[in-house]
Amino acid sequence: MSINLFSCDDGFGDIKIRQGDPDHRIRHTLPSRAQSGDWYQAGLGTAAEESAVYETEGGTFTVGESLQAEDTRFSDYAVSPLNRVLISHALRHAGARAPFALAVGLPLRDYFRANGTPNEGRIAAKRQNHLTPVRLRTIDGPVDLPVPQVVHILPQSLVVAMGADIGERECPQAMAYFENRRIPFGLI
């Protein structure tokens, strides 16, 4: 069975999602703007932006462009509940439906140890972060968002090169340079 792959660049300023085959990729970009707690806002008019409230292990967050957003530039952002909610919000807007796979990055400083080997503990923490459920609050009660069937972790910036429909193929291979050392790797 083949599943759709969503590639995510979870930057400090924007969450960028790519999906689709390399010839017909669809891109979604949403600002990385969220605040802890329930700050539901609704606007009036055609340009009104509506916030969304999400619940997950580790807290409740409101996502919306007009919020006084929390700073995403902290060392544990990549494995935080805030990161999980922002990516889930972007996947919801991109139309992710189960089953799907997610390819997401870790900053190089987190992906590799000082000796150039992959930091398996941090990679596992990032993977688990995106396997943790997120619920969207609605008027009819919380709605469970789909959780990826598979989460691939890559060094940051390489996820945007990922394609779709991973099916049963082997993991793509890539090459990275870290502290002047060439390091081959695949999706893990």
Side-chain angles (χ1 to χ4, degrees), residues 34-39 54 58-63 67-70 82:
Q35 188 174 11
S36 294
D38 185 342
W39 298 92
Y54 297 91
T60 299
F61 296 88
T62 303
V63 178
L67 293 171
Q68 180 69 29
E70 293 185 21
L82 173 60

Side-chain angles (χ1 to χ4, degrees), residues 64-143:
E65 291 184 37
S66 62
L67 293 171
Q68 180 69 29
E70 293 185 21
D71 191 353
T72 57
R73 295 170 295 171
F74 58 94
S75 61
D76 284 337
Y77 169 68
V79 294
S80 69
L82 173 60
N83 177 268
R84 178 184 328 128
V85 163
L86 286 168
I87 289 178
S88 294
H89 176 73
L91 287 167
R92 181 173 74 88
H93 280 271
R97 302 281 181 264
F100 72 95
L102 174 65
V104 65
L106 262 175
L108 288 175
R109 71 177 181 276
D110 292 338
Y111 190 91
F112 292 110
R113 291 191 173 94
N115 66 4
T117 60
N119 184 340
E120 300 295 340
R122 196 65 165 183
I123 291 166
K126 178 69 170 172
R127 180 175 292 112
Q128 186 56 48
N129 193 44
H130 297 295
L131 292 172
T132 302
V134 174
R135 289 164 300 288
L136 171 66
R137 277 200 199 157
T138 70
I139 251 178
D140 298 323
V143 173

